[in-house]
Amino acid sequence: MRRRLSGSPLVHLPGVVLLLAVAGCSSTDTAAVPVPSPPPQEAKLCQALHRQLPKTLSGLDRRDTDPDSELTADWGDAAIVLRCGVPRPANMSDPNALAVEADGVNWMVEQRDSGPRFTTTYRKTYVQVTMSTKFSHDTTPLADLAAPVKKTVPSSL
């Protein structure tokens, strides 16, 4: 047995359209970023790095992360995400792992469908940078992050 709602269904349509439009246009000022759990000494290095990070990176404005943390940073609504104090990546031991050097900082490269991921090598804590596919062939953001990394995260060599 079918039940019929009273009134015309089209009467409620403008309210539904308005609700969907507001939901679609609303944006948050934060990006969800998993926060690493480094040992206290590494966390101190990450906090120092956080204070040195640029307000813009590759033309993208820095935004807050959710949850707010001194171990994470976001530029361009997760186009570039930095996490400091991450665990050592498993493929770091692979002698065939890809690596790049950007202004004196070495990074291990992991190619992923969602975009490249870079993790520092030879540093007292691991700094990981993930980028959207827009940056698949662009390491300019790494060069822009090199000075803050060198200044705050000492070499392990």
Side-chain angles (χ1 to χ4, degrees):
M1 173 183 209
R2 287 185 149 177
R3 290 179 41 166
R4 181 174 163 95
L5 296 174
S6 62
S8 170
L10 295 178
V11 170
H12 302 287
L13 188 59
V16 171
V17 170
L18 178 61
L19 180 61
L20 290 173
V22 169
C25 291
S26 69
S27 72
T28 61
D29 290 330
T30 61
V33 177
V35 178
S37 301
Q41 193 62 20
E42 291 181 30
K44 286 181 184 179
L45 298 173
C46 294
Q47 291 163 349
L49 173 61
H50 192 265
R51 290 188 293 273
Q52 297 297 315
L53 292 173
K55 294 195 185 308
T56 61
L57 190 59
S58 292
L60 302 171
D61 290 331
R62 187 165 166 190
R63 300 169 52 102
D64 295 328
T65 57
D66 180 26
D68 186 28
S69 172
E70 292 183 322
L71 304 177
T72 61
D74 165 40
W75 291 267
D77 197 19
I80 302 172
V81 173
L82 179 143
R83 298 172 63 229
C84 184
V86 298
R88 184 178 195 269
N91 6 353
M92 188 84 53
S93 299
D94 181 353
N96 297 317
L98 298 175
V100 296
E101 186 271 339
D103 286 350
V105 177
N106 294 307
W107 301 85
M108 182 187 75
V109 181
E110 297 173 90
Q111 294 296 342
R112 304 169 318 133
D113 290 341
S114 58
R117 178 168 51 201
F118 302 89
T119 306
T120 56
T121 62
Y122 309 117
R123 295 279 158 187
K124 297 277 183 177
T125 193
Y126 295 103
V127 178
Q128 182 181 79
V129 176
T130 56
M131 300 184 204
S132 69
T133 55
K134 171 184 174 185
F135 296 97
S136 290
H137 303 287
D138 183 2
T139 58
T140 304
L142 298 180
D144 294 341
L145 291 169
V149 168
K150 286 190 293 190
K151 182 175 182 177
T152 59
V153 183
S155 171
S156 62
L157 295 177

